[in-house]
Amino acid sequence: VAFDAILARIKDVCKRNGLLILSVLSVTIGCLLGFFLRTRRLSQQEISYFQFPGELLMRMLKMLILPLVVSSLMSGLAALDAKTSSRLGIITVTYYLWTTFVAVIVGIIMVSIIHPGGAAQKESTEEGGKPIMSSADALLDLIRNMFPANLVEATFKQYRTKSIPIIKSNKASSESTTRRVIIYGVQDENGSNVQNFALDITPPPEVIYKSEPGTSDGMNVLGIVIFSATMGIMLGRMGNSGVPLVSFCQCLNESVMKIVAVAVWYFPFGIVFLIAGKILEMDDPSAIGKKLGFYAITVVCGLVVHGLFILPMMYFFITKKNPIVFIRGILQALLIALATSSRYCTV
């Protein structure tokens, strides 16, 4: 009787978490298959063909992100009353901004503690003279992305300020500046022979950075979320006149969810080729592991602190519920985030 009960329990767990179990197995099989195929010395063309199922998975998931986010937010907020929807919309935006701010703080702390890359790479980066975006520009870009000028462009691009170096030439100051000549005398060990070396020092040119508007690849999720939430709130306040559009959004949301329910079962198959293909693209996994070891440790530690400590604590203090139960329900999403490193596919 005990054996039958255990067997029934195992079958129940496999039935309820079948997709999660298959996803874990697919990650393991993908790693093993990737290292095995490295011994076959595949060509770049063969690797690209091998990666096709994984590429198809990423394209399939990215295709569903936009209709899923827009339809779910608009239909969900429109179904609430005006007071509740306004409060929920404010909470959504506040939660997004606050968790992003906390994630940035955690990342800065982890980098300050672990120092990924080493001192040599830091010096080479500093000597490279590459302009770094200021905190003010980053904050302003975040606010600009909240209100995209073009909703169609927001589906595949984000606003990002670009810093362009400009060499400032001032003829008057350059003519008046005197050239400094320094002479060094180098003696032999016995001090008899002295050789003089002249070093001509001229002042370096003045370089200023000009900020210009630009874009970067990637969906502007923040702008789309704010627009969808605002549209949903307004539809809820319109009453009967907004019912046709609300019905359309609800129908679209249900259809997209059915498509997602079918597409996620392709995930275990596609992730095998996605992970194996990434391993095959590496020139030397051991060398890359040595170079990126501390970087990987920094990222993993940041994810652990943010995902397993900070967010569950926020969930517990706000809802007064057990966060482990909630985490158990989103294990599939967490696994997709870890395997694909894409917030779009995770959503």
Side-chain angles (χ1 to χ4, degrees):
V1 176
F3 178 77
D4 293 339
I6 294 175
L7 185 61
R9 176 64 177 173
I10 294 175
K11 289 182 179 179
D12 182 63
V13 171
C14 293
K15 184 178 180 180
R16 289 187 290 105
N17 302 297
L19 185 60
L20 177 61
I21 296 173
L22 291 176
S23 301
V24 174
L25 291 177
S26 64
V27 172
T28 305
I29 294 173
C31 295
L32 297 176
L33 183 61
F35 286 108
F36 171 75
L37 292 178
R38 285 188 62 86
T39 61
R40 301 298 178 179
R41 306 294 181 182
L42 300 180
S43 63
Q44 291 295 329
Q45 191 71 15
E46 293 173 340
I47 293 176
S48 64
Y49 290 152
F50 180 81
Q51 288 179 322
F52 177 74
E55 179 186 356
L56 191 63
L57 171 66
M58 298 296 293
R59 297 175 67 90
M60 186 187 306
L61 294 176
K62 289 181 179 180
M63 175 187 66
L64 299 173
I65 294 304
L66 182 62
L68 180 62
V69 171
V70 174
S71 61
S72 61
L73 282 176
M74 291 178 63
S75 61
L77 292 176
L80 302 176
D81 59 277
K83 184 177 180 180
T84 305
S85 60
S86 301
R87 180 173 176 271
L88 188 58
I90 295 174
I91 291 175
T92 301
V93 176
T94 304
Y95 176 80
Y96 188 92
L97 295 176
W98 175 249
T99 53
T100 302
F101 174 76
V102 173
V104 171
I105 297 299
V106 172
I108 293 175
I109 294 175
M110 289 298 168
V111 169
S112 301
I113 295 175
I114 301 177
H115 296 290
Q121 294 183 4
K122 293 179 183 178
E123 292 176 359
S124 62
T125 303
E126 293 175 357
E127 293 175 358
K130 185 178 179 180
I132 301 176
M133 180 182 294
S134 63
S135 302
D137 288 337
L139 180 60
L140 293 177
D141 286 351
L142 180 64
I143 299 175
R144 291 188 184 102
N145 284 321
M146 294 172 62
F147 307 97
N150 191 332
L151 283 176
V152 177
E153 187 182 31
T155 59
F156 58 91
K157 282 188 179 181
Q158 302 180 25
Y159 186 94
R160 184 174 183 179
T161 302
K162 294 183 178 179
S163 298
I164 300 176
I166 299 176
I167 300 177
K168 185 178 180 182
S169 59
N170 192 345
K171 296 182 178 180
S173 61
S174 61
E175 292 176 357
S176 61
T177 304
T178 58
R179 300 170 62 187
R180 298 175 58 191
V181 179
I182 301 177
I183 300 177
Y184 291 93
V186 180
Q187 298 180 352
D188 291 340
E189 294 181 355
N190 54 9
S192 59
N193 189 12
V194 179
Q195 296 180 355
N196 294 328
F197 295 90
L199 180 62
D200 190 357
I201 299 178
T202 57
E206 183 180 357
V207 180
I208 59 176
Y209 293 98
K210 181 181 179 181
S211 298
E212 290 188 356
T215 57
S216 61
D217 295 333
M219 184 185 300
N220 185 5
V221 180
L222 180 59
I224 294 175
V225 166
I226 291 179
F227 171 79
S228 302
T230 305
M231 180 66 73
I233 294 172
M234 293 300 119
L235 288 175
R237 293 183 174 182
M238 289 173 61
N240 294 330
S241 59
V243 170
L245 185 55
V246 174
S247 300
F248 170 78
C249 293
Q250 291 175 348
C251 182
L252 178 63
N253 184 36
E254 292 178 4
S255 60
V256 172
M257 290 302 296
K258 291 183 180 295
I259 297 175
V260 171
V262 176
V264 292
W265 285 101
Y266 179 76
F267 175 80
F269 177 75
I271 200 63
V272 172
F273 297 90
L274 185 66
I275 294 180
K278 294 299 181 182
I279 295 176
L280 290 174
E281 284 182 344
M282 298 180 183
D283 295 331
D284 188 1
S286 60
I288 295 177
K290 293 179 181 178
K291 292 180 180 179
L292 302 180
F294 282 102
Y295 172 75
I297 292 173
T298 305
V299 173
V300 171
C301 291
L303 292 175
V304 169
V305 172
H306 188 71
L308 298 182
F309 292 97
I310 295 178
L311 294 182
M313 289 176 60
M314 291 177 59
Y315 179 83
F316 174 75
F317 287 119
I318 294 174
T319 64
K320 305 300 181 181
K321 297 180 181 180
N322 187 2
I324 299 178
V325 178
F326 181 76
I327 293 175
R328 189 185 305 166
I330 60 171
L331 280 178
Q332 180 65 32
L334 293 176
L335 184 62
I336 293 176
L338 181 62
T340 62
S341 185
S342 174
R343 64 178 183 269
Y344 309 128
C345 297
T346 305
V347 171

